[in-house]
Amino acid sequence: MAGSRLQCSPRSLERPASVPAMAANLDKVLNVVGRSAVVLGAAGSVPMFFLFNVDAGERSMMWTMTSGLMKQPYGEGTHFKVPYMMRPTNYDVRARAYQIPSNTGTKDMQNVTIHVRLLFRPDIERLWDLHQELGVDYETKLLPSVCNEILKSIVAQYDAEALLTMRERVSQEIRDGITERCDKFGVIIEDVAITHLNYSKEFAKAIEEKQVAEQEAERQKFIVQ
């Protein structure tokens, strides 16, 4: 009729759910299906490009076309995604080792090569910031530059011989400096160890000769007594 009005139900006026919300709902359904042995075979018919896995010891950051990078990382398990509209990036959140060599100079202008071994992992609570600033290969971008900067600034405060006699103190200063700097980027340093400390051949020979002379002096003192 001409005078009749088109009536719309409130449901028809609701905005469609966002891609992340749809994926979250489907993700819940997928988890329920995954627990059911009866329908497990049906889940296998879902094309793999609609699913992604987060393995043990990993977290996944999700980027969506509609909302950008989601704040909350995905935990371990199999999850749903919308192809081309959702892009997951997996992170290893377990502690891993990273070896860094550094050539630097001491206070008395001696060249020294230091090898540092780091045990590091990303801070899960700040994984969003880490992904935004550095990306999945953050360790290759962050750790070498931070280590070299800290090593050069600390080693330059000591004479070459003091690095040997005060090794524990120097190691602690290096550990504190690297830990504090990496924490600003959301990377947790669990351990820092100096594995090698090498001098030039000339200086190493001079140190050896000095030690021999000191030992000889002590021996002569003992003989006189």
Side-chain angles (χ1 to χ4, degrees):
M1 296 176 63
S4 63
R5 295 183 179 179
L6 180 63
Q7 296 184 350
C8 298
S9 65
R11 288 177 177 269
S12 64
L13 298 177
E14 291 180 357
R15 296 178 63 183
S18 64
V19 172
M22 293 170 57
N25 292 332
L26 289 171
D27 200 46
K28 292 178 182 178
V29 173
L30 179 64
N31 288 334
V32 173
V33 171
R35 298 190 193 100
S36 175
V38 177
V39 295
L40 190 60
S45 63
V46 178
M48 288 306 297
F49 54 81
F50 282 102
L51 307 175
F52 70 98
N53 291 322
V54 181
D55 295 332
E58 290 185 341
R59 294 294 186 275
S60 185
M61 296 303 300
M62 178 65 74
W63 178 90
T64 71
M65 187 176 294
T66 58
S67 303
L69 187 65
M70 299 174 65
K71 283 278 188 180
Q72 188 65 29
Y74 282 72
E76 299 171 4
T78 300
H79 306 277
F80 182 87
K81 68 175 181 179
V82 179
Y84 307 109
M85 298 189 70
M86 301 178 68
R87 186 171 68 243
T89 302
N90 288 13
Y91 280 82
D92 190 340
V93 296
R94 297 168 295 186
R96 292 179 289 153
Y98 198 94
Q99 188 88 10
I100 300 172
S102 178
N103 296 314
T104 185
T106 62
K107 187 177 181 180
D108 53 349
M109 306 300 290
Q110 294 293 332
N111 291 324
V112 58
T113 301
I114 301 179
H115 290 251
V116 176
R117 180 181 178 272
L118 306 178
L119 200 61
F120 73 98
R121 62 181 175 86
D123 186 345
I124 297 176
E125 298 298 324
R126 290 154 53 187
L127 200 56
W128 186 88
D129 297 311
L130 182 64
H131 184 78
Q132 288 278 78
E133 293 184 26
L134 297 173
V136 70
D137 55 344
Y138 65 92
E139 68 270 23
T140 60
K141 297 177 181 177
L142 177 67
L143 299 182
S145 60
V146 167
C147 282
N148 281 306
E149 180 183 346
I150 297 298
L151 286 170
K152 290 181 185 299
S153 64
I154 292 177
V155 171
Q157 302 174 27
Y158 293 90
D159 294 336
E161 191 171 352
L163 292 180
L164 295 174
T165 59
M166 305 174 67
R167 182 163 179 165
E168 286 300 320
R169 174 178 171 179
V170 175
S171 297
Q172 186 62 51
E173 290 184 13
I174 292 173
R175 184 180 300 112
D176 292 344
I178 293 175
T179 300
E180 181 180 354
R181 184 63 60 84
C182 288
D183 181 68
K184 295 179 180 179
F185 293 91
V187 177
I188 297 173
I189 302 296
E190 295 192 349
D191 185 52
V192 179
I194 296 178
T195 58
H196 294 85
L197 181 60
N198 301 323
Y199 297 96
S200 64
K201 292 181 179 180
E202 294 78 10
F203 183 78
K205 183 179 180 180
I207 289 291
E208 183 179 354
E209 291 175 351
K210 181 179 179 180
Q211 291 175 341
V212 170
E214 290 176 348
Q215 292 172 0
E216 181 63 23
E218 288 293 326
R219 190 178 71 84
Q220 291 296 332
K221 188 186 300 184
F222 178 77
I223 292 174
V224 171
Q225 293 176 352

